[in-house]
Amino acid sequence: MDWLAWLGNLVKLFGDLIPMRIKVPPTHRAVLFKGMTESHVLAEGRYWYWPWVSSVVELPIKRQVVPLTTQDVVTKDGLPVQAKAIVTYTVGESNEEVILAAVEAYNVDVSLDDEATAVLCSLLTSKTFEEVQSNRADFNKQFTFKTRTRLKEYGLRVVRAQLTSYVTGTPLLHFLSNPAVSVSSTTVA
């Protein structure tokens, strides 16, 4: 079986010697990495590159909406809350911002989720439940500003960050506090 792996590696090696074509649509940019030192941003169009000495990362630059991972946190007044949020962003159109997004964030949505949820948790734990609930517009402004500042280093331009759901308790707490529901009466599908 080792000879099959060896043969597969040999075929891949010869495949890397054949030029590859990439088509960059108007909604994307691509970053061409040549060797270890050179990178170029490719705008809309068709390009050829040599896989042996270069690689390409393609990124959408137009408006994207990412739902963040649901967060269960405890507010400043000690209430357990569950928060859901979204972040609307674009990758900057300058070459520097596109390269930052390709290099610093590789998987933009995962990096955005990580950084934005850290901001969200920090904001929620520094406020009481009522402070957030009574002035959601102000909270969303703060959330947008702090998320924008944090994601700028990744070449991302945050359009909006906002809470979509904000409730006290967590599903587990609601489940445990309801005496009518028992573990034996639930059905797993």
Side-chain angles (χ1 to χ4, degrees), residues 18-189:
I18 300 169
M20 299 283 295
R21 184 175 73 102
I22 183 171
K23 180 181 176 186
V24 181
T27 57
H28 289 64
R29 293 293 177 268
V31 179
L32 173 68
F33 296 100
K34 290 183 176 181
M36 300 295 282
T37 58
E38 200 177 331
S39 59
H40 302 281
V41 174
L42 307 176
E44 175 186 2
R46 291 178 178 84
Y47 302 91
W48 290 90
Y49 70 97
W50 293 91
W52 178 258
V53 293
S54 55
S55 62
V56 175
V57 174
E58 194 173 338
L59 299 166
I61 61 165
K62 298 300 180 189
R63 183 181 171 109
Q64 304 282 314
V65 178
V66 176
L68 301 180
T69 305
T70 302
Q71 297 299 304
D72 295 316
V73 296
V74 177
T75 60
K76 186 177 175 181
D77 54 347
L79 282 174
V81 296
Q82 185 177 69
K84 295 181 182 180
I86 61 166
V87 174
T88 305
Y89 75 97
T90 63
V91 172
E93 291 191 21
S94 75
N95 287 350
E96 293 80 21
E97 289 170 311
V98 173
I99 290 171
L100 276 174
V103 174
E104 297 297 326
Y106 186 69
N107 187 332
V108 174
D109 288 353
V110 172
S111 296
L112 180 141
D113 183 62
D114 177 53
E115 295 292 338
T117 53
V119 169
L120 178 63
C121 288
S122 174
L123 280 172
L124 290 174
T125 56
S126 69
K127 299 185 179 299
T128 65
F129 179 79
E130 252 334 286
E131 288 174 336
V132 175
Q133 198 68 349
S134 64
N135 196 352
R136 187 77 70 89
D138 184 49
F139 180 85
N140 287 337
K141 280 183 186 175
Q142 290 178 27
F143 184 31
T144 299
F145 176 76
K146 290 187 178 204
T147 303
R148 184 178 290 146
T149 303
R150 193 121 173 210
L151 292 173
K152 195 176 206 177
E153 69 185 74
Y154 295 102
L156 304 179
R157 295 180 183 176
V158 173
V159 176
R160 178 179 67 242
Q162 71 179 50
L163 281 175
T164 56
S165 173
Y166 184 64
V167 294
T168 59
T170 64
L172 182 59
L173 290 176
H174 289 299
F175 176 76
L176 295 175
S177 66
N178 187 351
V181 178
S182 69
V183 174
S184 61
S185 67
T186 58
T187 307
V188 177

